[in-house]
């Protein structure tokens, strides 16, 4: 901690005396919610891995996506004098003030998986390449539907929460792979709802995704025997996919006629839905992301610059981030079993 480090200079007379006061390099982890598998399990895993390396680690979840609580928790970590903050923001546009305070105390800040926008007071971005995740989702749909002039397909689009910059990255990635087919009208969106503002699901909520899919079913008349066939639903993560699947099941779809549904996180629900033949794919993020973030902290604790592998892709509006981007791993029926949890 900062306090004990300055003591170190003063107490030159007795290394032994100092060592009884010295504490380890300390890290504060601020995660957005404890109500989603992904953040809950990854928070504890990151905390454990940091402790294994000998760091002091303090883990906070912002209740269920409570940005004001997250700010209070970060302020508490700043006051406590942590050396590094690892933050997955509830709202990636609302942490500027609190990060200014961290900068003033010379605390290093790592944005974890969610890019924190419009501030220079974040030092590193450690993330799974979220645009690439979107690309994998879009590519999966194209590869499995093979749309062309003689094989026109229909799809609906869901996007993540508008307060999370990742939502846009996922969508941009998917559209890179699909928009050519949409322009040619080989791939249609019957609802015509494809922009972020029409398709966003606040808080990446399963319930809200379920509600929107229910409305689309009613509006377009989708059903297993309907004349308008639904071939795919682009879902950015498993929580949204789960809500969509629930609505489709309610409308009579089964694993025999379920549209191709994408996801991300390899969450319990996502893997269960793949196991039951209801969801086509998901994306696994955890291991490499946690390891590379811990590696960043190790370098910072030694006063070294962490390894980065990208400094041109992710622009947060105030700077192009020094990033370590991990690779998203595609998971489907062929390889999901190794990730199944109880
Ligand atoms: C992450 C996803 C996650 C979503 C909801 C996004 O920022 O990239 O992996 O599913 O947040 O928590």
């Amino acid at each position: 901690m900062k306090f004990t480090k300055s003591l170190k200079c003063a107490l030159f007379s007795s290394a032994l005396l100092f060592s009884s006061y010295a504490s380890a390099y300390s890290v504060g982890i601020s995660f957005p919610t404890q109500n989603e598998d992904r953040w809950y399990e990854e928070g504890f895993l990151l905390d454990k891995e940091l402790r294994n390396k000998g760091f002091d680690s303090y883990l906070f979840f912002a209740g269920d996506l409570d940005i004001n609580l997250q700010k209070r928790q970060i302020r508490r970590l700043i006051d406590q004098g942590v050396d590094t903050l690892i933050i997955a923001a509830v709202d990636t546009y609302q942490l500027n003030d609190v990060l200014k305070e961290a900068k003033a105390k010379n605390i290093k800040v790592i944005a974890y998986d969610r890019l924190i926008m419009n501030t220079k007071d974040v030092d590193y971005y450690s993330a799974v390449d979220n645009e690439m995740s979107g690309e994998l989702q879009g590519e999966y749909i194209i590869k499995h539907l093979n749309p062309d002039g003689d094989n026109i397909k229909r799809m609906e689009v869901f996007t993540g929460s508008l307060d999370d910059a990742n939502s846009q990255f996922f969508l941009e990635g998917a559209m890179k792979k699909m928009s050519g087919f949409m322009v040619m009208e080989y791939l249609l969106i019957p609802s015509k709802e494809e922009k972020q503002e029409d398709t966003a699901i606040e808080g990446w909520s399963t319930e809200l995704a379920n509600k929107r899919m229910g409305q689309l079913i009613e509006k377009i008349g989708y059903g297993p025997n309907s004349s308008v066939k639904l071939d795919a639903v682009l879902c950015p993560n498993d929580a949204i996919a789960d809500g969509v699947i629930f609505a489709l099941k309610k409308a009579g779809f089964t694993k025999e006629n379920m549209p191709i549904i994408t996801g991300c996180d390899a969450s319990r629900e996502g893997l269960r839905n793949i196991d039951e033949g209801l969801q086509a794919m998901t994306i696994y993020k955890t291991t490499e992301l946690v390891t590379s973030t811990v590696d960043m902290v190790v370098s910072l604790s030694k006063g070294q610059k962490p390894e980065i592998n990208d400094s041109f892709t992710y622009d947060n509006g105030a700077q192009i981030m020094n990033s370590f981007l991990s690779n998203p791993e595609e998971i489907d029926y062929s390889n999901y079993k190794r990730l199944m949890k109880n």
Side-chain angles (χ1 to χ4, degrees):
M1 293 172 93
K2 299 278 174 298
F3 180 60
T4 46
K5 272 183 197 153
S6 48
L7 260 184
K8 191 174 185 175
C9 306
L11 294 173
F12 58 91
S13 54
S14 168
L16 203 67
L17 175 66
F18 170 72
S19 69
S20 63
Y21 285 100
S23 62
Y25 190 91
S26 67
V27 186
I29 305 171
S30 171
F31 268 21
T33 174
Q34 63 215 15
N35 289 2
E36 239 184 79
D37 266 16
R38 153 139 208 233
W39 297 111
Y40 186 76
E41 288 171 14
E42 219 162 294
F44 281 105
L45 181 64
L46 187 56
D47 181 70
K48 188 179 96 191
E49 296 297 323
L50 288 166
R51 285 167 192 273
N52 285 346
K53 294 276 181 199
F55 301 124
D56 282 343
S57 170
Y58 304 93
L59 169 64
F60 286 95
F61 293 102
D64 189 16
L65 300 173
D66 181 339
I67 183 67
N68 291 319
L69 177 60
Q70 181 167 49
K71 285 186 193 171
R72 287 201 297 279
Q73 292 170 335
I74 295 175
R75 285 208 167 95
R76 198 164 138 192
L77 290 163
I78 294 173
D79 291 344
Q80 195 180 314
V82 293
D83 295 291
T84 287
L85 281 166
I86 299 176
I87 301 173
V90 169
D91 181 324
T92 58
Y93 299 88
Q94 277 204 55
L95 289 180
N96 297 17
D97 293 355
V98 80
L99 292 189
K100 224 175 237 140
E101 294 166 33
K103 191 65 164 200
K105 291 208 167 176
N106 216 8
I107 296 169
K108 294 286 181 217
V109 176
I110 300 173
Y112 184 92
D113 206 40
R114 290 184 173 178
L115 183 56
I116 303 175
M117 302 300 287
N118 306 325
T119 171
K120 281 201 183 310
D121 299 330
V122 49
D123 299 283
Y124 296 99
Y125 182 40
S126 177
V128 170
D129 192 328
N130 286 298
E131 189 173 324
M132 198 189 279
S133 300
E135 284 179 36
L136 289 179
Q137 294 168 341
E139 201 168 57
Y140 196 96
I141 289 178
I142 297 300
K143 201 167 73 193
H144 288 83
L145 291 186
N146 259 317
D148 70 26
D150 301 323
N151 186 29
I152 290 170
K153 299 290 183 186
R154 290 174 181 79
M155 166 184 81
E156 291 295 341
V157 171
F158 282 67
T159 57
S161 200
L162 284 174
D163 55 10
D164 181 348
N166 280 359
S167 303
Q168 193 186 334
F169 302 140
F170 273 104
L171 182 62
E172 280 171 4
M175 286 304 163
K176 251 193 202 171
K177 300 292 173 181
M178 298 194 301
S179 56
F181 296 88
M182 290 161 65
V183 171
M184 296 298 287
E185 300 192 340
Y186 297 165
L187 186 57
L188 309 176
I189 299 181
S191 70
K192 308 260 184 275
E193 295 175 17
E194 59 182 279
K195 293 205 184 74
Q196 246 192 302
E197 56 269 29
D198 300 327
T199 56
I201 300 296
E202 193 187 335
W204 303 78
S205 149
T206 302
E207 289 71 31
L208 294 178
N210 176 255
K211 192 166 158 212
R212 177 166 180 255
M213 190 67 233
Q215 287 162 349
L216 289 171
I217 290 169
E218 206 153 291
K219 180 170 155 189
I220 310 295
Y222 293 126
N225 304 314
S226 159
S227 55
V228 196
K229 192 163 177 277
L230 180 62
D231 300 293
V233 185
L234 175 75
C235 295
N237 81 344
D238 292 348
I240 290 178
D242 200 37
V244 166
I245 289 170
F246 201 74
L248 290 171
K249 280 204 307 197
K250 200 165 153 218
F253 286 91
T254 62
K255 68 175 183 180
E256 276 73 36
N257 49 31
M258 192 56 84
I260 288 177
I261 293 177
T262 60
C264 173
D265 290 345
S267 69
R268 249 189 205 85
E269 305 84 61
L271 295 171
R272 188 203 57 221
N273 284 330
I274 290 179
D275 186 53
E276 291 176 8
L278 301 171
Q279 183 173 326
M281 64 85 80
T282 185
I283 286 164
Y284 179 66
K285 287 182 155 186
T286 312
T287 310
E288 215 187 317
L289 178 56
V290 168
T291 310
S292 50
T293 307
V294 172
D295 288 349
M296 267 190 181
V297 177
V298 170
S299 302
L300 290 171
S301 73
K302 294 179 182 158
Q304 297 166 355
K305 279 206 160 66
E307 183 190 343
I308 56 165
N309 61 8
D310 184 288
S311 54
F312 49 87
T313 305
Y314 284 93
D315 184 348
N316 83 342
Q319 57 174 327
I320 303 192
M321 293 307 305
N322 281 330
S323 314
F324 193 95
L325 302 178
S326 310
N327 288 317
E329 183 186 351
E330 185 175 298
I331 302 291
D332 67 4
Y333 201 77
S334 66
N335 61 354
Y336 76 101
K337 281 219 163 95
R338 77 176 161 87
L339 296 173
M340 283 291 264
K341 301 153 198 156
N342 308 322

